[in-house]
Amino acid sequence: IQHRVTSQQLQKLSLAVEQSPTSIVIADLKGNIEYVNDAFVQKTGYASDEVIGKNPRLLQSGKTPPGHYRELWDDLTHGRVWSGEFFNRTKDGTEYIEWATVAPIKEPDGTITHYVAVKEDITEKRSMAAELDAYRLHLEELVRQRTDELEATEERATLILKSAAAGLYGVNKEGVITFINPAACLLLGYSTEQAVGQIAHNLFHHSKPDGSPYPLASCPDHYAIRDGQEMRSNDDIYWHADGHPVPVM
């Protein structure tokens, strides 16, 4: 009964190896091929009787780094498993890339008798990865170019604003000053450092033309800015840092 069970297990194992979708190669200690499964035949174009007794180097395309083979044999002869890429060529000359895991087959006492390689064609995966990398680099270049363009535009705009004879300043939606040009600083008596970061209304729009308090909550300019609306005024008053009124339009 035990013999029959063992025989059935070996048959299952044999079928699993033969029908595996990945290439499986078994070689002797010299590296000569003793077995290949159907996936190997389908991938390489070589019939099994064309490769039995041959060395797997017949698949070499010349593009696999020599160091791969040195590492492979160093690991195998020391009883270790090796994994890595091979750049190989099929019988008709088509080049492909495969990921191989090669392991020593050992007797119960640890003696190495054969080597088994399980190999997967990763050509398409590598191609897709290369395309994605190229696309990513292209996007990064576009972003860099656009960033450079925006920075150049910002520099030109800043230069224009700074050079303008009219007093100009910019605020965010909260009314906080983010930019003020030299003409506005001269007009209002504040330095750039004193103005930027302050609420414009509180700094120089805090009082009405008659000098009475002008609460922020009552200022239509503030709400127009907050709501992104256009606001025009031809007879407004700002207040200089020394306290005197500055007519603006």
Side-chain angles (χ1 to χ4, degrees), residues 2 4 63 66 77 80 83 85 108 137 169 178 230 234 247:
Q2 180 64 38
R4 185 166 62 251
K63 295 183 178 180
T77 53
R80 299 188 296 263
S83 294
E85 290 180 346
L137 291 173
Y169 69 93
T178 58
E230 184 176 349
N234 296 322

Side-chain angles (χ1 to χ4, degrees), residues 87-130:
F87 295 80
N88 284 340
R89 181 184 290 128
T90 64
K91 185 177 180 179
D92 66 7
T94 302
E95 294 184 355
Y96 66 100
I97 306 170
E98 60 183 4
W99 180 263
T101 297
V102 189
I105 299 175
K106 302 177 183 179
E107 293 286 357
D109 63 1
T111 302
I112 299 173
T113 62
H114 293 82
Y115 303 115
V116 60
V118 179
K119 305 190 291 181
E120 177 188 7
D121 184 353
I122 60 170
T123 308
E124 185 174 352
K125 291 181 181 178
R126 285 290 299 274
S127 178
M128 291 177 62

Side-chain angles (χ1 to χ4, degrees), residues 15-183:
L15 290 173
V17 171
E18 183 60 34
Q19 297 174 19
S20 170
T22 56
S23 297
I24 296 178
V25 180
I26 297 176
D28 62 21
L29 295 181
K30 294 181 179 180
N32 296 320
I33 298 173
E34 291 190 359
Y35 169 84
V36 294
N37 69 346
D38 187 60
F40 174 93
V41 173
Q42 296 300 319
K43 177 68 235 174
T44 66
Y46 287 101
S48 60
D49 58 3
E50 292 181 286
V51 297
I52 298 300
K54 304 289 182 60
N55 192 285
R57 70 171 62 94
L58 63 86
L59 298 174
Q60 292 180 11
S61 66
K63 295 183 178 180
T64 301
H68 279 36
Y69 298 113
R70 290 194 293 269
E71 293 173 3
L72 165 67
W73 283 108
D74 182 65
D75 282 343
L76 292 181
T77 53
H78 286 84
R80 299 188 296 263
V81 176
W82 179 90
S83 294
E85 290 180 346
F86 287 133
F87 295 80
N88 284 340
R89 181 184 290 128
T90 64
K91 185 177 180 179
D92 66 7
T94 302
E95 294 184 355
Y96 66 100
I97 306 170
E98 60 183 4
W99 180 263
T101 297
V102 189
I105 299 175
K106 302 177 183 179
E107 293 286 357
D109 63 1
T111 302
I112 299 173
T113 62
H114 293 82
Y115 303 115
V116 60
V118 179
K119 305 190 291 181
E120 177 188 7
D121 184 353
I122 60 170
T123 308
E124 185 174 352
K125 291 181 181 178
R126 285 290 299 274
S127 178
M128 291 177 62
E131 290 179 7
L132 288 174
D133 283 342
Y135 184 65
R136 175 181 56 79
L137 291 173
H138 177 62
L139 287 179
E140 289 177 353
E141 178 61 19
L142 290 177
V143 170
R144 186 192 64 77
Q145 291 178 359
R146 184 56 178 158
T147 300
D148 290 345
E149 291 171 359
L150 290 174
E151 289 178 350
T153 300
E154 183 177 356
E155 289 177 2
R156 288 194 296 270
T158 300
L159 180 61
I160 292 171
L161 290 174
K162 286 184 176 180
S163 303
L168 302 170
Y169 69 93
V171 296
N172 60 20
K173 287 188 174 183
E174 286 70 44
V176 176
I177 298 172
T178 58
F179 170 85
I180 186 167
N181 73 345

